[in-house]
């Protein structure tokens, strides 16, 4: 069951100027007018594992649990890669697990959305050195080859079969202390290829 809480809205709108400063990449102006269409999801809850869990035309394409960066243990937070099929807009939901739902279908997390971000669209990202790059959302990114579990990025996975690391195109921190999605620099950031 979905409910709307009174938690203050804190939609993270991603601007090309703030996140796509990496050398070797160029970006067209990203449309941000649709941001107001998604901030109302902050504070809403939904149950994972159900095809009808998300409202409207939203589809969950997967995600991962955000681990504690200091203890490397699981937290109650997760990233969900969401698509609004009506507008073809990709979103990131930063979720907190607030309970469990046990039904005949199984035992599933109940998520509260604590922050929402509109992802730059692949068409808005142009690789100067590789226009045929494959761009996917990836966890396990780091600045020093030691993965930071709060970091994630849109990464160029064109060399998926052979690459040890993927270069980041745009990146963010899922800050579990502030419950916000924060843009971070892509300079020197690599994402681990966790396997073909």
């Amino acid at each position: 069951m979905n409910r709307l809480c009174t938690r203050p809205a804190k939609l993270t709108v991603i601007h090309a100027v703030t996140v796509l400063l990496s050398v070797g990449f160029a970006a067209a102006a990203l449309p941000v007018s649709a941001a107001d269409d998604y901030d109302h999801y902050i504070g809403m809850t939904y149950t994972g594992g159900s095809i009808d869990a998300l409202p409207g035309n939203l589809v969950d394409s997967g995600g991962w649990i955000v681990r504690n960066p200091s203890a490397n243990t699981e937290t109650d937070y997760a990233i969900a890669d969401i698509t609004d099929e009506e507008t073809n807009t990709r979103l990131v939901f930063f979720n907190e697990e607030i309970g469990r739902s046990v039904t005949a279908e199984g035992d599933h997390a109940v998520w509260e959305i604590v922050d929402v971000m509109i992802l730059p669209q692949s068409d808005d990202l142009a690789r100067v050195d590789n226009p045929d790059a494959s761009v996917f959302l990836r966890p396990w990114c780091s600045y020093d080859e030691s993965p930071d579990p709060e970091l994630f990025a849109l990464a160029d996975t064109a060399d998926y079969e052979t690459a040890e690391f993927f270069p980041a195109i745009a990146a963010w921190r899922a800050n579990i202390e502030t419950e916000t999605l924060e843009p971070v620099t892509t300079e020197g950031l690599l994402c681990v290829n966790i396997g073909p």
Side-chain angles (χ1 to χ4, degrees), residues 9 11 32 45 52 62 72 99-100 109 114 116 138-139 173 195:
L11 178 72
V32 295
T45 62
D52 299 322
N72 197 27
R100 305 292 299 180
V114 297
V116 176
R138 302 297 297 192
R173 176 175 300 282

Side-chain angles (χ1 to χ4, degrees), residues 14 16-18 34 38 51 54 57 63 76 81 87 91 97 126 130 139 142 144 146 151 156 164 184:
I14 301 306
V17 176
T18 61
Y38 300 103
I51 196 158
L54 294 170
N57 297 304
D76 293 331
D81 184 356
T87 63
L91 308 166
E97 184 178 341
N130 182 6
S142 70
D144 60 5
S146 175
L151 293 175
D156 176 3
E164 184 177 354
V184 296

Side-chain angles (χ1 to χ4, degrees), residues 24-161:
F25 295 92
L30 300 176
V32 295
S33 60
D36 293 337
D37 294 339
Y38 300 103
D39 64 353
H40 65 279
Y41 290 121
I42 295 171
M44 188 175 286
T45 62
Y46 68 97
T47 302
S50 171
I51 196 158
D52 299 322
L54 294 170
N57 297 304
L58 300 183
V59 175
D60 189 337
S61 301
W64 59 89
I65 300 294
V66 178
R67 296 182 71 80
N68 183 324
S70 59
N72 197 27
T73 56
E74 285 192 5
T75 67
D76 293 331
Y77 294 91
I79 295 295
D81 184 356
I82 306 293
T83 301
D84 182 336
E85 290 190 325
E86 184 176 332
T87 63
N88 200 29
T89 301
R90 283 188 64 201
L91 308 166
V92 171
F93 282 3
F94 188 20
N95 296 326
E96 180 181 13
E97 184 178 341
I98 59 169
R100 305 292 299 180
S101 174
V102 180
T103 66
E105 296 174 357
D107 181 0
H108 300 287
V110 177
W111 299 110
E112 179 179 356
I113 303 165
V114 297
D115 203 1
V116 176
M117 176 180 77
I118 299 171
L119 277 177
Q121 301 298 309
S122 296
D123 293 346
D124 295 325
L125 304 170
R127 280 289 307 270
V128 172
D129 60 335
N130 182 6
D132 298 321
S134 299
V135 180
F136 290 96
L137 197 61
R138 302 297 297 192
W140 297 99
C141 299
S142 70
Y143 291 106
D144 60 5
E145 296 188 13
S146 175
D148 180 333
E150 288 187 325
L151 293 175
F152 67 98
L154 282 173
D156 176 3
T157 60
D159 298 324
Y160 181 73
E161 294 295 327

